[in-house]
Amino acid sequence: MTIGVSKLLARPLAGLIIAAGALFVVGHMSAASAATNQIKGVNWADTRDNYNTGWVIPDGLAADMSYSRVYSIANADVQAFKNNLGANTVRLPINPPSVSESWWDSYKATIDASLDNGMNVIICAWTEKNTVGTITDMTAWNSMWTKVVGAYGSNGKVYFQPLNEPFGYSASQWISVASGWLSKFSSVPRGRVIIGGTGYDDNVTAVGASSALSGTLLSQHYYATWNPSFTRESQWVADLNNRFGGYQSRTVVTEFGGPMTTGINYLANHDNGEYQSYFAAVTDTARSDSMGTVVWAGLKTGDNYSVEYHSGSTLKNNNSSAVTQLRWGWGY
């Protein structure tokens, strides 16, 4: 496994350059033949959460905003994600009301501003409640995706995640639903479709093994609260590898994160702290296995996992040590 940031900082500085809170390793790094590390992302979330019966409205936006106003805010925030973190991807939520109703005309500006800034965009569908892990209205769901794919299916920087956390389905049921999406929207290259793992996107082995889903990317979520007794990085790494099941080259960790406002030093205690060892395990594994990650959350006011916070018309970092460790995982 790649040596973590804290271990490198403890070594002599020969061969290293440390500047502006970022760590740069001098020397050649080989790239994997197949990888997802083109994804260096943030979740831009609704402050109420992305599970919503109405429109999903990312932090800082409002339902009465015009396209031009949304674009202006999104342009500034996306530039902050790039400049503050080095992110190149934004994961955005949708649901049927957000696309079928008038909000979509304005909401598209978040996607357009991201693309205009050279970002990748992951468009992901959420159910209406966090207690609902299935698609409750298949007609509305298909209509939503028909409209979204019609608008952005030909753009090579847009990725599509049919459903976030399909925990209401068995593995076979979810594979059937996901393969149905692939058939209906066969014009979208499979390499730009991200299929959620089973449960709460908590294991990708079943979807990875399915021939019906071959060629797609896979979505893994991972949180420290799932194993609160773990305090050593090696414990988290072993658990992660079990959940990946050998499909690392197709997997993007589309959600992971930890407290950003409580003063945790994420560069220390990788073998003696729950959140520090967890965060190190995800980022070190991502770096060593050339995997993409999307932190939860890039921006979500009121959520102490939010990496960024509003400062006037721009964004600032909540925890510099977390940003350094995050960037390490992204290969910086």
Side-chain angles (χ1 to χ4, degrees), residues 46-248:
D46 190 314
T47 57
R48 303 163 298 174
D49 203 60
N50 295 340
Y51 290 105
N52 210 295
T53 56
W55 299 347
V56 282
I57 304 172
D59 186 357
L61 306 179
D64 60 352
M65 287 182 176
S66 65
Y67 176 96
S68 61
R69 180 59 178 151
V70 170
Y71 188 98
S72 177
I73 293 171
N75 185 60
D77 287 353
V78 166
Q79 288 182 15
F81 293 146
K82 291 175 63 176
N83 295 335
N84 295 355
L85 308 175
N88 72 356
T89 302
V90 178
R91 185 171 182 249
L92 290 165
I94 58 169
N95 62 11
S98 299
V99 174
S100 65
E101 299 173 12
S102 59
W103 173 232
W104 179 240
D105 292 335
S106 296
Y107 189 27
K108 286 188 297 182
T110 60
I111 302 170
D112 297 343
S114 299
L115 295 172
D116 289 347
N117 276 281
M119 302 284 274
N120 303 307
V121 177
I122 300 172
I123 303 174
C124 178
W126 260 258
T127 58
E128 62 267 30
K129 296 179 181 179
N130 61 9
T131 56
V132 178
T134 62
I135 300 159
T136 55
D137 187 335
M138 188 63 74
T139 298
W141 187 67
N142 281 325
S143 295
M144 170 190 71
W145 277 118
T146 297
K147 194 169 184 178
V148 172
V149 170
Y152 296 103
S154 63
N155 192 307
K157 295 186 77 65
V158 178
Y159 295 76
F160 303 92
Q161 187 172 351
L163 185 66
N164 178 74
E165 298 183 347
F167 58 87
Y169 294 113
S170 67
S172 60
Q173 288 171 332
W174 171 230
I175 289 168
S176 177
V177 171
S179 60
W181 192 100
L182 292 171
S183 296
K184 184 173 181 62
F185 301 104
S186 58
S187 62
V188 178
R190 289 194 173 204
R192 287 170 41 217
V193 181
I194 304 176
I195 301 298
T198 51
Y200 290 87
D201 283 24
D202 56 56
N203 193 304
V204 300
T205 55
V207 290
S210 171
S211 59
L213 306 177
S214 63
T216 63
L217 301 181
L218 310 173
S219 166
Q220 174 76 52
H221 292 179
Y222 200 58
Y223 287 104
T225 53
W226 295 356
N227 293 294
S229 65
F230 287 3
T231 59
R232 299 183 64 83
E233 184 173 354
S234 59
Q235 294 174 295
W236 297 106
V237 171
D239 187 56
L240 269 173
N241 286 332
N242 285 334
R243 294 170 186 271
F244 294 148
Y247 297 102
Q248 284 89 331

Side-chain angles (χ1 to χ4, degrees), residues 3-75:
I3 297 171
V5 173
S6 65
K7 296 182 179 69
L8 277 170
L9 290 177
R11 292 185 171 190
L13 297 184
L16 301 178
I17 301 172
I18 301 173
L23 180 68
F24 302 89
V25 180
V26 179
H28 175 72
M29 293 185 62
S30 61
S33 58
T36 62
N37 61 353
Q38 76 275 15
I39 302 295
K40 302 169 172 59
V42 297
N43 281 277
W44 186 4
D46 190 314
T47 57
R48 303 163 298 174
D49 203 60
N50 295 340
Y51 290 105
N52 210 295
T53 56
W55 299 347
V56 282
I57 304 172
D59 186 357
L61 306 179
D64 60 352
M65 287 182 176
S66 65
Y67 176 96
S68 61
R69 180 59 178 151
V70 170
Y71 188 98
S72 177
I73 293 171
N75 185 60

